[in-house]
């Protein structure tokens, strides 16, 4: 009985910690993105509030909260109010299965450094990340505005294009780790990260999560200069903020998934595991920001073309070859 | 090879943006860093004095006529010795577009543009400046020019008595 309570308490503590870390990380990723993009465009970025603009996220939150929470007259009110929460929530939920450090031994107990080490963690991640699109689609639909609807349709088309190749790119990883548990997958990369073992799968997964994150070059659902912000055109105040913060939480999640699945998770020389993990996640996040500062937006049909005609056949081929090699090694 | 070109075209921009990331930003952070404007910069308008310390303005209304936004107004007056001056002279800087046409039109070099560009204000009424605000003690861009020493009615010298002037002709002397 006390064991159960202790486990529950531990899970709650871990949840709280992760919640705080992820949210502050998302807030500061916004700042980092603005600063890095600014420097790439020979500007300074926000630097007025506090040293190097470090208090800027606080000001942003105050601004968003104090703005009017506007609901369009012709919108589907309840869905409209509910959609931003869904986006942020699903983004947060994914982090439950991400292991950020090897199990810790404290007081003679083994403390797994993951909120919940599901044995189907990978499937859980795939499922939750697809659910996240519902927030966007429902928000776009409920706004009852043509731009929002176009954004919602685009995000659905995008989902259909990248989701399959994303799943297919992960199967070689599962094949080598012989497990769906993310902890086991990290354990299996002790000597070589999957990046070296499955370079093609890594590339396909990278492109897929770039599409999943709805950021340039795959930000068609938002596309400020074509469809006026897409699915969040009609949103204001903190509801827009939830969409916004959801996007950055998603960035952290996808960064940590890439780290866990391909970059060797917490493995690394010298530094403690948790530091390695955070460094890798931050590096992936930087690469995403870098890509945003560099790449133009793809067209809607170009992404469909890329997904269905390039990524999926490549992923299937990669899967076939990997399976054959593994079978040959075993036999 | 199409694919190599595509790969190069995808990766090269990343290198370029990374280079920009470590380049000094081109921004001038205004309140802390100020750029010195060139001497002929067109900003706040002043009324200058001639080398003798008198007002140059003869209230000829050419500047207010030239002004495309009608922001200059004045009232002409005359002293005992016949010297013209502006009884009051008003420039509405809230309307002024700093085109410099007034300074170009001025025959006495009285009205001049200066590089003092920091005249923004939250209160538009305080941007309406009177003669006291506009008049400066110096000569502005030309240290020597004095209108009445070259032309005009006999204020400094008797009529036609300036160096580059001829004495007035008696029209009756021209009668055949």
């Amino acid at each position: 009985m006390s064991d159960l309570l202790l486990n529950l308490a531990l899970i709650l503590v871990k949840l709280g910690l992760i919640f705080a870390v992820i949210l502050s990380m998302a807030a500061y990723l916004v700042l980092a993105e603005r600063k890095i993009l600014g420097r790439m465009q020979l500007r300074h970025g926000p630097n007025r509030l506090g040293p190097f603009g470090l208090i800027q996220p606080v000001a942003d939150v105050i601004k968003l909260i104090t703005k009017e929470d506007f609901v369009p007259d012709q919108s589907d009110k309840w869905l409209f109010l509910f959609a931003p929460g869904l986006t942020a929530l699903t983004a947060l939920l994914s982090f439950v299965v991400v292991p950020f450090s090897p199990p810790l031994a404290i007081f003679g107990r083994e403390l797994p450094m993951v909120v919940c080490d599901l044995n189907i963690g990978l499937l859980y991640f795939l499922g939750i990340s697809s659910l996240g699109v519902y927030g966007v689609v429902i928000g776009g639909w409920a706004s009852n505005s043509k731009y929002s609807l176009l954004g919602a349709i685009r995000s659905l088309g995008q989902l259909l294009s990248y989701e399959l190749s994303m799943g297919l790119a992960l199967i070689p990883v599962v094949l080598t780790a012989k497990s769906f548990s993310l902890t086991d997958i990290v354990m299996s990369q002790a000597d070589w990260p999957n990046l070296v073992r499955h370079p093609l799968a890594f590339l396909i997964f990278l492109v897929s999560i770039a599409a999943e994150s709805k950021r340039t070059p795959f930000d068609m659902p938002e596309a400020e200069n074509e469809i006026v912000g897409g699915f969040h055109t009609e949103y204001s105040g903190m509801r827009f903020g939830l969409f916004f913060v959801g996007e950055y939480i998603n960035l952290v999640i996808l960064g940590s998934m890439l780290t866990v699945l391909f970059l060797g998770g917490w493995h690394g020389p010298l530094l403690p595991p948790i530091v390695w993990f955070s460094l890798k996640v931050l590096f992936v996040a930087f690469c995403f920001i870098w890509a945003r500062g560099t790449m133009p937006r793809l067209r809607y049909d170009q992404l469909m073309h890329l997904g269905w005609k390039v990524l999926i056949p490549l992923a299937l081929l990669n899967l076939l070859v990997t399976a054959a090699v593994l079978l040959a090694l075993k036999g | 090879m199409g694919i190599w070109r595509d790969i190069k075209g995808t990766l090269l921009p990343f290198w370029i943006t990374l280079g920009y990331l470590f380049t000094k930003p081109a921004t001038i952070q205004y309140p802390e860093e100020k750029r010195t404007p060139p001497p002929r910069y067109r900003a706040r308008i002043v009324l200058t004095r001639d080398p003798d310390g008198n007002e140059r303005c003869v209230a000829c209304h050419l500047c207010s006529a030239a002004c495309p936004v009608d922001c200059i107004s004045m009232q002409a007056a005359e002293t005992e010795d016949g010297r013209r001056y502006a009884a009051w002279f008003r420039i509405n800087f809230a309307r002024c577009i700093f085109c410099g046409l007034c300074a170009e039109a001025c025959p006495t070099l009285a009205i001049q543009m200066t590089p003092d560009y920091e005249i923004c204000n939250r209160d538009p009424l305080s941007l309406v400046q009177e003669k006291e605000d506009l008049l400066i003690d110096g000569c502005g861009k030309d240290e020597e020019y004095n209108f009445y020493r070259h032309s005009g009615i006999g204020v400094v010298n008797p009529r036609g008595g300036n160096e580059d002037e001829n004495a007035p002709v008696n029209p009756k002397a021209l009668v055949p």
Side-chain angles (χ1 to χ4, degrees):
Chain A
M1 184 60 202
S2 71
D3 221 35
L4 186 72
L5 276 181
L6 195 64
N7 272 337
L8 205 64
L10 275 176
I11 284 183
L12 281 180
V13 166
K14 281 189 281 190
L15 266 181
L17 269 179
I18 284 179
F19 195 67
V21 168
I22 295 285
L23 279 187
S24 50
M25 212 167 151
Y28 276 91
L29 265 184
V30 179
L31 178 69
E33 164 145 55
R34 289 170 68 183
K35 294 233 39 133
I36 292 172
L37 278 186
R39 288 305 296 268
M40 281 177 176
Q41 296 160 0
L42 297 184
R43 299 182 283 113
H44 282 284
N47 63 352
R48 294 282 119 180
L49 220 54
F52 307 108
L54 281 177
I55 315 177
Q56 187 69 36
V58 183
D60 286 344
V61 168
I62 292 174
K63 186 198 84 172
L64 284 173
I65 286 179
T66 48
K67 282 215 167 184
E68 184 192 359
D69 182 16
F70 181 73
V71 181
D73 192 29
Q74 298 289 311
S75 66
D76 190 332
K77 192 174 173 221
W78 293 110
L79 286 183
F80 184 84
L81 298 181
F82 162 71
L86 189 64
T87 312
L89 189 72
T90 47
L92 273 173
L93 274 179
S94 304
F95 214 82
V96 168
V97 290
V98 175
F100 40 88
S101 179
L104 222 60
I106 299 181
F107 306 128
R109 302 167 53 90
E110 188 154 275
L111 181 63
M113 291 310 267
V114 44
V115 176
C116 185
D117 187 15
L118 290 177
N119 56 358
I120 50 156
L122 197 60
L123 296 183
Y124 172 84
F125 159 71
L126 285 174
I128 287 284
S129 75
S130 324
L131 262 184
V133 178
Y134 275 97
V136 172
V137 173
I138 291 176
W141 166 258
S143 300
N144 204 2
S145 138
K146 49 181 169 272
Y147 300 118
S148 304
L149 188 61
L150 277 174
I153 292 171
R154 284 182 180 203
S155 77
L156 268 184
Q158 192 166 330
L159 172 83
L160 291 178
S161 320
Y162 71 73
E163 193 81 324
L164 269 174
S165 56
M166 186 157 125
L168 285 173
L170 291 184
I171 298 181
V173 175
V174 176
L175 283 180
T176 40
K178 299 188 182 63
S179 166
F180 275 114
S181 155
L182 292 177
T183 314
D184 290 351
I185 288 175
V186 177
M187 296 289 197
S188 77
Q189 305 177 61
D191 21 300
W192 288 110
N194 277 336
L195 167 63
V196 183
R197 279 189 287 197
H198 308 294
L200 189 58
F202 169 75
L203 279 179
I204 295 168
F205 188 68
L206 187 68
V207 174
S208 304
I209 61 170
E212 156 100 34
S213 70
K214 295 189 201 62
R215 295 166 54 83
T216 9
F218 304 111
D219 62 343
M220 287 89 75
E222 302 185 26
E224 288 85 355
N225 26 27
E226 299 165 28
I227 51 174
V228 210
F231 60 92
H232 60 59
T233 306
E234 305 293 335
Y235 282 92
S236 62
M238 204 53 211
R239 278 181 212 284
F240 165 74
L242 275 178
F243 270 132
F244 198 65
V245 109
E247 186 190 318
Y248 285 89
I249 296 172
N250 228 346
L251 194 60
V252 182
I253 300 296
L254 294 171
S256 35
M257 285 318 279
L258 193 70
T259 309
V260 164
L261 293 169
F262 285 98
L263 302 181
W266 62 71
H267 293 300
L270 294 175
L271 298 170
I274 184 94
V275 176
W276 266 111
F277 183 80
S278 336
L279 277 182
K280 285 172 181 174
V281 172
L282 287 178
F283 178 72
V284 175
F286 170 75
C287 289
F288 272 79
I289 294 170
W290 190 10
R292 178 164 173 193
T294 307
M295 313 274 286
R297 180 183 308 126
L298 256 68
R299 226 168 42 221
Y300 184 42
D301 58 311
Q302 285 171 330
L303 174 65
M304 305 279 263
H305 176 94
L306 179 71
W308 287 100
K309 293 194 194 160
V310 180
L311 291 184
I312 291 178
L314 269 182
L316 281 172
L317 185 74
N318 183 39
L319 173 59
L320 202 69
V321 171
T322 315
V325 167
L326 281 177
L327 202 63
L329 284 181
K330 194 181 163 198
Chain B
M1 285 295 284
I3 182 125
W4 289 116
R5 213 198 61 181
D6 290 355
I7 291 176
K8 199 180 149 206
T10 310
L11 294 185
L12 202 60
F14 279 91
W15 178 246
I16 288 170
T17 44
L18 192 69
Y20 277 134
L21 182 61
F22 297 107
T23 313
K24 195 174 170 289
T27 317
I28 294 173
Q29 305 208 50
Y30 166 59
E32 291 94 35
E33 297 170 34
K34 282 175 190 166
R35 185 154 50 172
T36 316
R40 293 178 63 178
Y41 193 86
R42 300 198 309 266
R44 201 169 82 89
I45 298 169
V46 292
L47 287 175
T48 56
R49 293 174 185 274
D50 61 24
D52 303 337
N54 297 316
E55 285 171 30
R56 270 175 173 162
C57 180
V58 294
C60 64
H61 288 91
L62 277 179
C63 50
S64 66
C67 182
V69 290
D70 285 347
C71 69
I72 305 177
S73 52
M74 74 195 79
Q75 169 85 56
E78 217 169 283
T79 52
E80 296 281 311
D81 58 353
R83 187 184 176 111
R84 276 169 64 93
Y85 68 100
W88 52 264
F89 193 101
R90 187 176 296 144
I91 297 182
N92 182 354
F93 281 108
R95 291 186 80 166
C96 180
I97 58 171
F98 303 101
C99 62
L101 288 183
C102 50
E104 258 178 63
C106 185
T108 63
L109 296 186
I111 193 163
Q112 290 184 15
M113 314 290 285
T114 61
D116 174 19
Y117 57 89
E118 291 176 305
I119 48 176
C120 290
N121 204 315
R122 282 180 187 278
D123 175 20
L125 276 184
S126 73
L127 289 174
V128 180
Q129 296 198 350
E130 299 293 337
K131 193 167 159 189
E132 309 83 89
D133 313 315
L134 296 167
L135 205 59
I136 60 167
D137 283 334
C139 297
K141 290 169 191 168
D142 195 314
E143 297 285 344
E144 280 143 36
Y145 187 68
N146 186 340
F147 173 72
Y148 285 108
R149 290 202 183 278
H150 294 280
S151 113
I153 49 160
V155 173
V156 186
N157 288 317
R159 199 171 169 89
N162 287 320
E163 268 175 40
D164 47 354
E165 273 184 321
N166 295 324
V169 176
N170 182 5
K172 286 181 183 158
L174 292 172
V175 174

